Structures are given as C-alpha cells and as structure tokens.
Amino acid sequence: MWTKRQLQGTMKESLSDYLLVVASNRQPYSHLVKSGRLTCVRQSGGLVTALDPVMQAVEGVWVAEGTSPHDRQVVDANGKVLLPPENPSYALRRIFLTKEERDGYYYGYSNEGLWPMAHVVYTRPVFRVEDWKQYQRVNERFAQTILDEVGDRKAFVWIQDYHLILVGQYLKAANRPNLITSFFWHIPWPNPEVFHICPQKKEILEALICYDLLGFQIRYHCDNFLAAVDANLESRIDRERNSVVFQNHETLVRPFPISVDFEGLSDISQSDLIRNRAEELREELGLKGKKVLIGVDRLDYTKGIPDKFRAVDRFLEKYPEYKEKIVLFQLGEISRIHISKYKELNDELNALAEEINWKHSQGSWLPIVFTRSYTPYQDILALYTLADACLVGSLHDGMNLVAKEFISSRTDADGVLILSYFTGAARELTDAILVNPYDTESFAEAIHQALAMPREEREKRMKKMREIVAQNNIFRWAGKVLSQLLKFDFQEA
Ligand code: F6P
C-alpha cells in the first residue's frame, strides 16, 4: 500500500535532481483577515483535498491564482509564500489576474463554456470569443510564470484541470528541452457528440496532445477523449499503448482515479479533537437523538442538491414516522456566484428548502438545515463522524471526493454512503447504496434503506469500502502519475 512516507521516500530520491511544478487555477490556501487577524484558510474542492497532501510529501512549487488582497500582501518579491502555515513544506507561487482576465478566463470560458459542456446536466454551455481570448492570455501567463520558476533546471510540470489546457502548448513553444509535461483532467470528458459543439475543439485537442502524459479519472473518459481526437485530428491513435501520435510527438493517455489521504483522515477523525467537536456540534446544532444525513457540496448545479432535497421530501411523505427524527444537514459553500446559473441555483435552493421545511415542520423541528457559511475543515470531519448517512447526489461528477472523505473518516466502520451512479467514485465504491438522483422515488427509498440498515450490514459495507479507499489512496494516485513521468527521457539540449 502506498503511504505518504513511501511517496516521500521514492520521490525525494527520484526527484532529487529535478524540480516538480504543479499548476492549477485554485490555490490550496488563501490569506484572509478574520476578526481582525490574518488567517491562512485551506480552500475547498476536490483538487485541493487531493493535491495538498501530495505536495506536502514531495515538496516543489505550486503555481495558482491568488484571489484575496491579503494573498498579495504575504508573498515575497517572487510572488511566493511557504505552505502549509503550520509546517511549511512547499512553495505556492501566486499569479494575480485583472478583473477582465478573471471574468473571461475563469467565469466565462472555463465555467460557462467548458464546465457545463463536460458535465452534460442540461445547462447550456456558452462560448464567447472574448472569453477564449482571455483564456489564451491567462494560460500564457501561467506558462510564462512556470518557465520563469523553472529557469534552466530539469523539471516535471504537472498541470491540473480544464482551466489550464493550453499551458503545455505555450511551454512547448518555448522549446525548452528541460521539461517533461503532464496534465490531469479532473472532471468528466464528454462523448464526441457533446464535445463537437465546442467552437475551439481543434485548438483544445491540439493543445492537450502537446503534453507527454494525459490523465483522466476513469477509462471511459480516456475513451471519449481518444474518440474526439480520432474524429477531429489527423493523428495516429495507438490502441495498444493508449497513446496519440501527432507530428512525431507521443502523448500517453491513462486513467488515474483520484483519491484522498485515507490514513491522515482516519487518524485525525479518531482524535479527541474531532470526537469532542462532534459532541459539541451535536449539541449546538440540535442533532441530539436525531438520525443525521449529511451533504457536503460546493453550490454547483452538477451536485444534485435540489434532487437531495426532493428525495428527503418524498421520504417524509412515504415514511411520516421519521418526522422529528431525521435531519438533512446540507453544507453548501458558495461558488462561482457571478454566473447567473449559480445565482439561480442559490435562489432555487432557498425556496425549495423553505417549502419542504414548511410542509413537514413540527414544533421547532425542520427536516432540512441548509447552511452556506464557511465551515472549518475540522467541523466537516466531525460532521462526517456523527452522521448516520452521507448523501452524494451528483448529476455527473469526475470522481467526487466527499464520498471518499466520508469513508476515510469512519474508523468506527459505521455510517452509510448513498452515492450517485454518475460519479467516478461509484465505479470503485460498489458497497454504497447507489442511486439515480434524477429518480426521486428510488432516492427516497435509498434514504429509507440506509436508515433501516442493521448495524452488521453497515459495518460489512463500510469495511469493504474502507479497504478500497485505503488501497487506492491519494499517495498511490500521485505515485502512479509521478512514476510514469519519471520514465520519460529528457531531450538532449
Ligand atoms: O474539480 C473541479 C474543480 O473545478 C477544481 O478544479 C476546483 O478545485 C473545484 O472544482 C472547485 O471549483 P472552483 O475553484 O471553481 O470553486
């Protein structure tokens, strides 16, 4: 089994002569002032959950966008700050974007165009040529920053996610023989018919096959990508090697299902700190004596949060004996709120929670507690440990790491995972209760099944899922990608 120490050992030895540079849009930590004090806050989202422990293990430099005014104040003359604050082990190099760059590149092209296209949840993608220009510009800025950071050293550059597709192409154009490049696509890759709508489809494919190694969450996404290449580019696809050869350059295409730091999460979840916090939260939030369903999502229309609310509503209609006995505690961190679809979702959720709560309320009891306030990571872990079931209702999701975090936190081998079929995680976690979130009736039944499940069966299922996540942990994911990268030869200068 891969462990943090093993990754550290192997990579420190193998990477000792090289620099590792990771780049993503989202930074791992942001500096904010809270109650008059400068605080360093870990950011939400699967990418940070996965990569922060990896970077702590292998060190290196992480390039990402700085977003708060205080992010700017704490960096040194090279735009760098050491992280994590309590035990610095890697450097974050922040890039600061103008409002126009951010609007076009992040809100526009990445999140109004690529995001809905990749997820196919019936939200119309919007591709504006001005956004594409900003996208190109910002990707070029990331590439320049990486080149500046690397200098003449030999480096492995590992780009993350759909915001930064073009970086590899700009790096290649700089013609530096000292770089081996890799890209990991964290979200689903759609089928060729869906991808066909993208006005920049050729540019995107050509840019992606500039990387030496291209990773997706599951084989199905690799196959969709290869089908898109086949349909759009005059290249050669080598089915045996799972690679694309274009203009004498080969790109390996591989599935690498992402994960979490199972051991780290297990350890902290059984600490007194988290146990005591769970008891405090039970008291503070009025959860004593109730069956608790927990939901932890970014407020995103792909996460199926309204579908969860509707399932709870239907469950209470069918099983009124559970009134006053259950609570769905749904955390929803506000996300991409300048995009109208996200504002609409926020309004829809407020109205829906209010309507369902009004319909079923009795005395002071409300079935849905929906909170958007910032929740410290330790509180999220405490909530996982006290929950009777965790509900993941994504309509489409590359992996979904909430499912894997929940499992890692359950050292008591208790708690039930209700998991959407349409997540990458559902391919591994077949001992969850798998649901179609579009089907309210069966989703409601799944809640009933979870709450009625005998302890013995809960334990059996949870133990199996814990074994799987323990094996396929984040250090294995990183170890597999980095080992593959180490096999490439640097070009002769
Ligand atoms: O996994 C998809 C992703 O966009 C990640 O890149 C990111 O960390 C996460 O979702 C959160 O998204 P955002 O940074 O736009 O809030």
Side-chain angles (χ1 to χ4, degrees):
M1 187 167 82
W2 277 88
T3 62
K4 185 174 189 172
R5 190 161 295 163
Q6 188 191 343
L7 182 71
Q8 232 156 11
T10 318
M11 291 307 150
K12 268 208 178 130
E13 218 171 90
S14 322
L15 286 171
S16 59
D17 296 336
Y18 313 109
L19 177 67
L20 174 70
V21 182
V22 160
S24 65
N25 170 71
R26 179 66 90 113
Q27 59 178 344
Y29 293 83
S30 182
H31 286 85
L32 305 166
V33 169
K34 286 189 163 191
S35 321
R37 277 190 48 219
L38 183 68
T39 329
C40 184
V41 181
R42 202 174 100 129
Q43 300 292 281
S44 66
L47 188 149
V48 170
T49 307
L51 274 163
D52 182 42
V54 172
M55 287 302 275
Q56 291 186 36
V58 301
E59 305 176 355
V61 181
W62 187 331
V63 179
E65 189 199 352
T67 44
S68 84
H70 302 284
D71 283 342
R72 214 183 264 274
Q73 284 167 17
V74 298
V75 294
D76 66 15
N78 295 319
K80 283 204 235 173
V81 58
L82 293 178
L83 291 172
E86 65 283 1
N87 181 19
S89 46
Y90 66 90
L92 170 66
R93 173 141 178 194
R94 287 181 169 140
I95 294 188
F96 295 96
L97 303 181
T98 64
K99 189 170 174 302
E100 291 70 30
E101 284 173 334
R102 190 165 169 73
D103 277 350
Y105 140 82
Y106 173 77
Y107 287 111
Y109 200 79
S110 299
N111 286 317
E112 284 189 275
L114 295 174
W115 178 268
M117 180 184 71
H119 284 86
V120 205
V121 292
Y122 312 103
T123 296
R124 192 186 191 284
V126 181
F127 293 102
R128 302 180 197 91
V129 76
E130 316 85 73
D131 292 346
W132 170 243
K133 286 192 182 133
Q134 292 295 357
Y135 185 88
Q136 288 173 303
R137 188 183 149 80
V138 171
N139 274 243
E140 197 172 357
R141 284 193 57 194
F142 268 82
Q144 282 307 333
T145 307
I146 292 168
L147 290 170
D148 177 48
E149 195 56 50
V150 170
D152 295 332
R153 282 176 288 181
K154 284 190 173 162
F156 293 101
V157 180
W158 190 12
I159 308 295
Q160 310 294 321
D161 231 351
Y162 60 100
H163 315 86
L164 299 177
I165 293 170
L166 310 178
V167 173
Q169 197 170 35
Y170 291 120
L171 294 176
K172 198 172 178 191
N175 215 0
R176 299 269 188 93
N178 56 333
L179 302 181
I180 303 281
T181 62
S182 174
F183 182 93
F184 189 74
W185 184 267
H186 288 251
I187 63 177
W189 185 282
N191 66 43
E193 290 73 36
V194 171
F195 182 67
H196 200 54
I197 64 168
C198 179
Q200 291 79 25
K201 61 183 177 177
K202 280 205 170 164
E203 288 94 321
I204 285 179
L205 293 172
E206 280 177 9
L208 284 171
I209 57 175
C210 284
Y211 292 95
D212 298 305
L213 176 65
L214 200 47
F216 294 91
Q217 300 282 16
I218 54 176
R219 165 112 11 235
Y220 177 66
H221 300 155
C222 296
D223 292 345
N224 280 345
F225 171 76
L226 291 175
V229 171
D230 205 15
N232 292 288
L233 296 184
E234 301 245 335
S235 58
R236 185 166 63 80
I237 296 175
D238 185 328
R239 298 274 167 199
E240 261 173 36
R241 284 176 59 76
N242 276 309
S243 70
V244 182
V245 181
F246 185 64
Q247 294 171 353
N248 292 327
H249 175 261
E250 183 181 38
T251 303
L252 298 185
V253 180
R254 298 280 182 275
F256 297 109
I258 203 166
S259 193
V260 294
D261 175 6
F262 175 85
E263 219 183 327
L265 288 171
S266 289
D267 287 350
I268 179 166
S269 300
Q270 55 191 340
S271 67
D272 287 346
L273 178 80
I274 299 296
R275 284 192 186 170
N276 295 339
R277 189 64 192 133
E279 283 322 304
E280 279 168 21
L281 284 173
R282 233 186 238 287
E283 192 76 47
E284 276 170 29
L285 303 171
L287 302 175
K288 272 207 149 156
K290 306 258 184 328
K291 296 271 187 196
V292 180
L293 310 170
I294 173 98
V296 180
D297 300 281
R298 258 184 328 102
L299 279 196
D300 195 296
Y301 52 79
T302 61
K303 301 292 180 188
I305 309 170
D307 306 78
K308 277 194 231 185
F309 287 6
R310 280 191 279 272
V312 167
D313 176 28
R314 184 69 190 124
F315 166 74
L316 289 169
E317 278 175 3
K318 289 182 83 173
Y319 303 100
E321 63 276 21
Y322 278 95
K323 285 194 178 189
E324 294 186 273
K325 299 201 177 94
I326 63 134
V327 175
L328 168 64
F329 197 84
Q330 175 67 49
L331 299 177
E333 190 170 327
I334 297 275
S335 181
R336 307 173 192 170
I337 203 69
H338 301 302
I339 298 175
S340 59
K341 290 287 172 202
Y342 286 75
K343 267 196 221 115
E344 285 163 22
L345 173 73
N346 196 35
D347 296 344
E348 180 192 351
L349 285 169
N350 280 337
L352 196 59
E354 209 277 324
E355 184 192 315
I356 296 169
N357 279 340
W358 175 248
K359 178 168 155 191
H360 297 285
S361 67
Q362 277 179 196
S364 62
W365 171 77
L366 299 173
I368 298 175
V369 177
F370 176 38
T371 166
R372 267 148 302 186
S373 51
Y374 164 75
T375 311
Y377 195 55
Q378 289 175 352
D379 283 9
I380 297 180
L381 291 179
L383 286 163
Y384 285 144
T385 65
L386 66 77
D388 293 278
C390 176
L391 269 59
V392 176
S394 302
L395 304 179
H396 200 182
D397 214 329
M399 178 52 63
N400 193 282
L401 293 183
V402 166
K404 292 187 175 181
E405 283 184 319
F406 173 66
I407 288 167
S408 308
S409 75
R410 297 312 295 252
T411 52
D412 58 353
D414 205 351
V416 180
L417 175 64
I418 301 179
L419 177 63
S420 162
Y421 282 114
F422 312 126
T423 57
R427 315 244 166 169
E428 291 171 75
L429 304 175
T430 47
D431 278 287
I433 300 180
L434 295 176
V435 289
N436 172 359
Y438 289 91
D439 180 357
T440 307
E441 205 62 31
S442 70
F443 203 164
E445 277 309 316
I447 295 176
H448 186 247
Q449 188 191 342
L451 295 180
M453 192 181 283
R455 163 76 180 148
E456 220 172 278
E457 190 181 343
R458 299 199 300 264
E459 187 172 329
K460 201 170 101 201
R461 287 177 181 243
M462 184 54 83
K463 277 189 172 158
K464 280 203 204 156
M465 292 192 287
R466 282 180 62 79
E467 267 168 37
I468 289 168
V469 183
Q471 280 297 328
N472 300 342
N473 62 40
I474 189 60
F475 303 112
R476 179 168 191 255
W477 174 78
K480 286 189 118 187
V481 176
L482 295 174
S483 312
Q484 184 74 59
L485 276 180
L486 284 162
K487 289 186 195 154
F488 288 95
D489 290 326
F490 284 93
Q491 289 166 38
E492 293 304 318

